[in-house]
Amino acid sequence: MEDGAANTRRLSQAWHPWLLGVVPALLALPGGDASALGVCIALAAGLSCAAVFVWVGRLWTRDRTRAALGTSALLAATFLYGPGYDLAAKLNRTFRVEALIGQFDFVRHRHVLPVWLLAWGGVSLLFVLSRRDCRRWTPVVNVVALTLVIVAAARAGWPAAATRSAPTSEQHASAPDIYHLVLDRYPRGDVLRSSYGFDNTPFLRWLRARGFHVADSAQCNYASTTLSVWSTLNMRYFPDVVHRAEAMRSIQDGHAVADFVRTRGYRYIHLGSHHGPLTRNAAADEAPFLPRNPSRFWRRLLNLTPLRARFGGFGPLKPKIHGDIGEFQFAKLHELADAPGPKYVFAHILLPHSPMVMDANGNRIARAEAGFSEEAKAPFVEQTRYTNTLVRRLVERLLQDTKRPPVILLQSEEGPYLRGRDWDLSPAERLCVRQGIFCALFVPGANAPVFDDDETAVNFYRKLLRHLFDAPIEPLPARIFNWEDRDQESEFLPRVLRFFEITDDVAPPLSQAAAGDEG
C-alpha cells in the first residue's frame, strides 16, 4: 500500500515543465552539426525558462500545479509553433485550400501568429482561472511530455541523411570530373564596369588564357536563385503557374543532371550553402558541410518558435558565418580534387552575395564598414575581388592534373539587386542587370566553344551533356521570364508564381561593349 501511494505521489508531481524544457534542443539536433557547447546552452536556456515561468506562475496563482501546467502550455506552444506552421503549409499545398477560399493566403505568419497567441492564451487562462482541481491532469501531461522527450531524442539520434552507395560505373575511370560552381550574384563583366566602376577584364583574361570560354552576354531565365538553379539543373522551364513551396521543395529532391550523370557512373557531391533550398539535396551521394556550423542548429531551434516570423530562419547569425562557409566550401573543393572519380561536384557559394564581410585580401571587415546589400559599391567590389582570388586558386589546383583535367563550369544564377534611386537605372537597364549572369566554361579538348556568347542558363547542361556524352538533348529556345505580383524592390517570391515571358525586354545592351573590350 505504501509503495502504491509513493508511486502515485511521484506520478502526481509536475515533472512536465522540466521535460518540455529540454525538447526544443533535442528537436534542433538532427543534422550532426551542433557543438556540445551550443547544445548545453540550449538545454540550459530551456530549463531556465521552465524554472522562471513556474516561479512567476506560482507567485501569480499561489498554486504550484496550475503554474506548472501554464508553463508547460507556454513551452509546448512555443516550440510547436514552427512544426504547426509547416504542417498547415503542407496541408494547404496538399488540399489546395486557398483555391476553396478565393486565393486567400492564410498560411502566413501574420495570420498564424495571432491564432497561436489566442490558442495559447485560452489554454493558459483555462488552467489559471479554473476552480477545478487541476492535479488530475498532472500525470497525463507528465506522460505526454515524457513521450515528446523520447520521440525527440530518438529523432536526434537518427542519421540526418543516409549516404548512398557509390553507383556502378558505366564509363571508364578516365571520364572527366565535372565541377559546377554557382557564385551567387556574381555580376557579368559589363555590369561590373557600368554599375560599379570596376574593370574585371584581368580576371576574365586570366580565365581565357587557361582555356575557359567566357560567355560575355549570358543570361539567366529566371532572376531568382531557387528558380534559376532549378531551371539550370533540370534543363527545362517551369510550367506557367507553380506554387513557391513546390519550387522550394523540388530543388531539394533531386534534379535531371544528377540523374543523368549517375547513370554514367558519377558520384554526386553537393556542397550546399546556408540558403535553405540549396543546403542539401536528396539525390547527392555526399553533402559536406561546415563542421559544427552553429547556424544550422540555431536556425532549426529558432524555426521551432514564433521568432521565425521575424528572422526568417537565419536572422542575425548570417553576417558572422557568411565568409566562413564560403571559405570552407573552397577548401573542400581543393580536397575533392584528390578524390577518386568520376565525380560531379555542385557547389552553391554565397559569394560575392551580401553581406559584405571580406575585403579583397580575405580580411574580415568591421561590422560598421560592412554592406548588407549589393548596393554598397566599394564593399561589394572588394568581396568580388576576393572571390576572384578564391576562384583562381581553385582553378589552378584543379588544372594541375594534366592527365585527367576536369570540366569546370563557373556561373552566377542571377545578377545583383540594385534597388535604390542612386543607381539611376531605367526599368530596361535594371532588367538587364538582374538577368545578366557571369558564365565561364572549361572543357578539356574542346576545339570550339560549347556555349554561345549569349547563352541562357536553361541550355547550359543541354549543350554540355550533349558535347561530353553525345546525349540526344536538343537546346531549348532562349526564353526569359518574370512573374506576376513581383515586387522589384524585394527579393522574396510571391506564394503563387504566374510566369510571363519578357525575352524581348531584356536584350543585353551593355554586353556588346564588354565583349569588344574583354576579348
Side-chain angles (χ1 to χ4, degrees), residues 81-100:
Y81 175 85
Y85 181 90
D86 293 335
L87 177 61
K90 183 176 181 179
L91 292 174
N92 187 38
R93 291 194 305 269
T94 302
F95 298 105
R96 305 291 193 205
V97 176
E98 80 289 338
L100 303 177

Side-chain angles (χ1 to χ4, degrees), residues 23 32 133 294 307 343 356 399 411 418-419 441-442 446 489:
V23 168
D133 186 1
L307 291 176
K343 54 185 178 289
M356 311 308 152
L399 297 184
Q411 69 152 119
L418 307 182
R419 293 165 286 191
L441 175 66
F442 175 83
E489 298 295 319

Side-chain angles (χ1 to χ4, degrees), residues 88 91-92 95-108 111 495:
L91 292 174
N92 187 38
F95 298 105
R96 305 291 193 205
V97 176
E98 80 289 338
L100 303 177
I101 53 179
Q103 300 293 325
F104 176 68
D105 187 5
F106 72 95
V107 186
R108 300 293 294 273
H111 303 141
R495 189 172 175 279

Side-chain angles (χ1 to χ4, degrees), residues 406-424:
V407 173
I408 306 173
L409 172 58
L410 308 173
Q411 69 152 119
S412 54
E413 84 299 355
E414 61 175 344
Y417 270 96
L418 307 182
R419 293 165 286 191
R421 294 181 179 179
D422 294 341
W423 295 93
D424 193 26

Side-chain angles (χ1 to χ4, degrees), residues 179 333-341 343 397:
Y179 288 83
L333 288 165
H334 280 261
E335 293 178 18
L336 289 172
D338 296 321
K343 54 185 178 289
R397 174 67 184 87

Side-chain angles (χ1 to χ4, degrees), residues 16-22 44-56 67-68 71-72 75:
H16 47 85
W18 322 110
L19 292 171
L20 293 175
V22 305
L47 293 172
S48 299
C49 287
V52 170
F53 293 153
V54 168
W55 178 71
V56 172
T71 297
S72 293
L75 291 173

Side-chain angles (χ1 to χ4, degrees), residues 108-304:
R108 300 293 294 273
H109 290 294
R110 63 174 176 265
H111 303 141
V112 176
L113 192 55
V115 174
W116 172 85
L117 289 171
L118 289 173
W120 171 76
V123 172
S124 299
L125 287 175
L126 180 66
F127 286 126
V128 171
L129 301 180
S130 175
R131 297 186 178 184
R132 295 184 179 182
D133 186 1
C134 293
R135 286 176 294 182
R136 60 195 176 101
W137 290 103
T138 298
V140 176
V141 180
N142 280 341
V143 171
V144 172
L146 181 60
T147 302
L148 284 174
V149 171
I150 293 173
V151 171
R155 183 172 175 268
W158 195 264
T163 301
R164 292 172 177 259
S165 58
T168 303
S169 178
E170 299 178 8
Q171 292 282 100
H172 192 270
S174 61
D177 292 339
I178 302 173
Y179 288 83
H180 181 185
L181 276 64
V182 176
L183 305 172
D184 206 296
R185 293 190 186 170
Y186 191 108
R188 206 169 54 191
D190 55 321
V191 174
L192 275 172
R193 180 185 293 109
S194 63
S195 297
Y196 290 93
F198 175 65
D199 186 2
N200 205 28
T201 300
F203 175 65
L204 301 181
R205 283 179 177 163
W206 185 90
L207 289 173
R208 287 190 173 99
R210 278 145 188 83
F212 281 81
H213 170 66
V214 179
D216 293 299
S217 305
Q219 299 182 75
C220 63
N221 303 94
Y222 304 88
S224 161
T225 296
T226 300
L227 304 182
S228 181
V229 173
W230 184 96
S231 179
T232 300
L233 296 181
N234 285 287
M235 302 181 285
R236 62 188 177 93
Y237 298 113
F238 279 97
D240 292 340
V241 179
V242 66
H243 282 250
R244 178 187 61 203
E246 294 175 359
M248 298 289 183
R249 183 178 64 253
S250 63
I251 192 64
Q252 298 176 311
D253 291 341
H255 47 81
V257 173
D259 294 340
F260 182 94
V261 297
R262 283 178 62 83
T263 64
R264 267 61 179 180
Y266 280 74
R267 289 185 302 122
Y268 171 23
I269 302 172
H270 184 93
L271 267 171
S273 64
H274 52 76
H275 176 67
L278 296 174
T279 300
R280 298 182 185 273
N281 194 283
D285 298 295
E286 299 176 31
F289 54 87
L290 182 63
R292 293 187 174 183
N293 177 357
S295 68
R296 292 180 180 173
F297 172 71
W298 290 109
R299 179 174 61 185
R300 288 191 296 270
L301 191 62
L302 194 68
N303 276 344
L304 295 172

